Amino acid sequence: MSNPARLALAALLCAVPFAGAALASDVQVGPRPGFLVGKMADRALKDKLMACMGEPVDKTLFSIGHRGAPLQFAEHTKESYEAAAAMGAGIIECDVTFTRDKELVCRHAQNDLHTTTNILATDLAGNCTKGFTPATADGKASAECRTSDITLDEFLTLNGKMDAANSAAQTVDEYMDGTAKWRTDLYAAAGGTVMTHKQSIALIASLGAKFTPELKSPSVEMPFDGFTQADYAQKMIDEYKEAGIPASDVWPQSFNLEDVLYWIENEPEFGAQAVYLDGRYSDNGFDPLKPETLKPSMQELADKGVRYIAPPIWVLLTVENGKIVPSAYALEARKAGLNIISWSFERSGPLNSGGGWYYQSVSDVISSDGQMYEVLDVLAQDVGIAGMFSDWPATVSYYASCMGLK
């Protein structure tokens, strides 16, 4: 059978599960892996991925649902988590923040309700830190609504939507209608089911997946009504303990190194898999090609008990002689014995003209979606990452299953 014919058949087979048919595997990857493989240059990697077309795809810990599956589902909603699990994500993320009554909920930021929910179209809009302001000739439309502006009961009345806002809006309806053209409102139009952290634990466990909660930086000054940062970090872990979830199934994360060190010291079983989300790329002087710019160093992190580090994709890669290769940052992390997780696949839209923020260190050699699996292959095989966050886990699950990554 010719390659085009095999590809057409494989794409059809991959699409079948979404239509409700049963295969040997419960994982449903749809047509996207076949589409991406079809865009690849004719090389050994393409042949390998083509050979897996039509084969069952296994659930894998390598595939991490970043906020669920927010490429097409409203992030941090029941529907988004269910979609991530259906696509083979072995680990699913709940970003954790807190409400006015100090209850934990799943949101990417404490102050994102105006872009991720329908709060501005409800009576709760009056509770927002900053109400809606229409765009003017001199400024963009704006609003700021925090989970800490409302109680848990009030939060649960909201509907999740695709994370977006129209900065040119004159009305609330226009402001809420800003979804990027390469995403869709198809699965979010009816409203997504927002979730507490406890609810996410129960749901993700029922889906047969494991957990990577991220303790988000508060938008409010801490302590908040007596609720300290340590209380916050501890409460997140306590909810897994109360649910009977073993520490080995949880990878708690934070951009705040002090949170990670708190878990290592006070909850060592959970701290053993605590993930330091490395945001030092925003520091002046940071250069992933010069490990000496990293403070603390990779070895110093390891000496403090940190075992997992998670930078964005571009920090781990560079270009040498026209080829994508591991950066000095990646090599230094491996030298220190750190496990590496990266983020976030399928978050840039089409990879035309360099691929955007997540691919900035290799933009000179990125020109199409056909290179998506090439990037993932370098990260998996040469950098040696332990997992990849993805906004559409099917893409990563397909690769991982084909390559035998558990």
Side-chain angles (χ1 to χ4, degrees):
M1 185 182 292
S2 67
N3 276 356
R6 286 182 66 192
L7 182 61
L9 175 60
L12 176 61
L13 289 171
C14 287
V16 166
F18 276 128
L23 293 181
S25 170
D26 291 332
V27 174
Q28 309 168 32
V29 296
R32 184 152 179 79
F35 171 81
L36 293 175
V37 173
K39 297 289 184 182
M40 295 177 69
D42 290 330
R43 296 174 182 160
L45 178 60
K46 179 176 182 177
D47 291 341
K48 169 66 174 174
L49 294 173
M50 285 277 296
C52 294
M53 291 290 177
E55 296 296 321
V57 174
D58 297 323
K59 186 184 293 286
T60 168
L61 298 181
F62 186 85
S63 179
I64 306 171
H66 180 237
R67 316 183 201 179
L71 180 65
Q72 296 190 28
F73 289 82
E75 65 182 46
H76 293 310
T77 60
K78 176 177 182 286
E79 295 79 8
S80 191
Y81 294 156
E82 289 173 338
M87 286 187 260
I91 302 173
I92 299 175
E93 179 190 44
C94 165
D95 288 326
V96 177
T97 188
F98 56 87
T99 59
R100 191 171 70 205
D101 43 356
K102 294 169 280 188
E103 296 295 334
L104 303 186
V105 297
C106 298
R107 286 292 96 195
H108 177 62
Q110 190 168 54
N111 63 339
D112 74 2
L113 294 184
H114 50 290
T115 64
T116 65
T117 75
N118 66 334
I119 190 170
L120 290 174
T122 74
D123 292 340
L124 293 172
N127 295 47
C128 291
T129 296
K130 296 179 182 177
F132 171 71
T133 300
T136 66
D138 300 320
K140 298 178 180 180
S142 64
E144 183 181 2
C145 302
R146 301 175 177 176
T147 56
S148 54
D149 290 335
I150 57 177
T151 66
L152 177 63
D153 287 345
E154 290 170 332
F155 172 81
L156 290 172
T157 67
L158 300 176
N159 287 328
K161 74 175 192 68
M162 296 300 287
D163 182 16
N166 176 3
S167 62
Q170 294 296 309
T171 67
V172 165
D173 284 346
E174 289 176 351
Y175 185 75
M176 294 172 61
D177 185 20
T179 303
K181 63 182 181 180
W182 45 270
R183 289 182 169 151
T184 179
D185 289 311
L186 182 63
Y187 300 110
T193 306
V194 298
M195 305 204 77
T196 69
H197 181 231
K198 288 181 179 179
Q199 287 173 336
S200 80
I201 293 172
L203 175 63
I204 292 169
S206 75
L207 295 170
K210 299 186 180 184
F211 313 85
T212 185
E214 180 188 338
L215 197 75
K216 302 303 296 188
S217 297
S219 298
V220 295
E221 185 176 348
M222 299 292 278
F224 177 75
D225 190 26
F227 191 53
T228 67
Q229 185 69 23
D231 292 336
Y232 179 30
Q234 186 62 52
K235 186 178 179 70
M236 188 180 85
I237 299 301
D238 286 345
E239 294 195 347
Y240 288 95
K241 294 165 73 174
E242 291 165 7
I245 303 297
S248 58
D249 286 356
V250 185
W251 285 261
Q253 320 166 68
S254 181
F255 278 99
N256 180 0
L257 180 58
E258 294 306 311
D259 293 335
V260 174
L261 297 179
Y262 173 87
W263 293 321
I264 290 170
E265 180 178 355
N266 296 280
E267 289 288 350
E269 289 188 334
F270 287 87
Q273 293 190 159
V275 181
Y276 174 40
L277 294 164
D278 195 350
R280 292 178 292 175
Y281 56 81
S282 60
D283 294 346
N284 290 332
F286 171 81
D287 186 342
L289 301 182
K290 297 178 180 178
E292 64 272 16
T293 65
L294 300 173
K295 305 297 180 184
S297 69
M298 297 295 187
Q299 189 58 55
E300 287 169 339
L301 288 172
D303 292 344
K304 292 175 183 290
V306 176
R307 298 185 183 178
Y308 287 83
I309 193 166
I313 292 169
W314 68 269
V315 169
L316 295 169
L317 302 174
T318 190
V319 176
E320 291 182 1
N321 300 319
K323 293 182 61 178
I324 299 173
V325 298
S327 68
Y329 174 108
L331 298 176
E332 194 72 10
R334 292 298 303 273
K335 180 181 176 183
L338 297 175
N339 299 293
I340 305 171
I341 297 170
S342 195
W343 46 275
S344 292
F345 223 57
E346 295 279 33
R347 195 159 181 82
S348 293
L351 302 190
N352 300 329
S353 304
W357 188 86
Y358 289 92
Y359 297 82
Q360 59 187 279
S361 63
V362 294
S363 60
D364 289 348
V365 296
I366 297 293
S367 59
S368 79
D369 284 352
Q371 293 169 280
M372 195 172 290
Y373 277 132
E374 293 178 17
V375 169
L376 186 58
D377 192 59
V378 173
L379 290 166
Q381 306 301 331
D382 299 335
V383 174
I385 62 172
M388 172 60 77
F389 282 92
S390 179
D391 281 23
W392 199 245
T395 306
V396 174
S397 299
Y398 180 82
Y399 172 89
S401 186
C402 185
M403 297 297 179
L405 302 177
K406 304 299 183 184

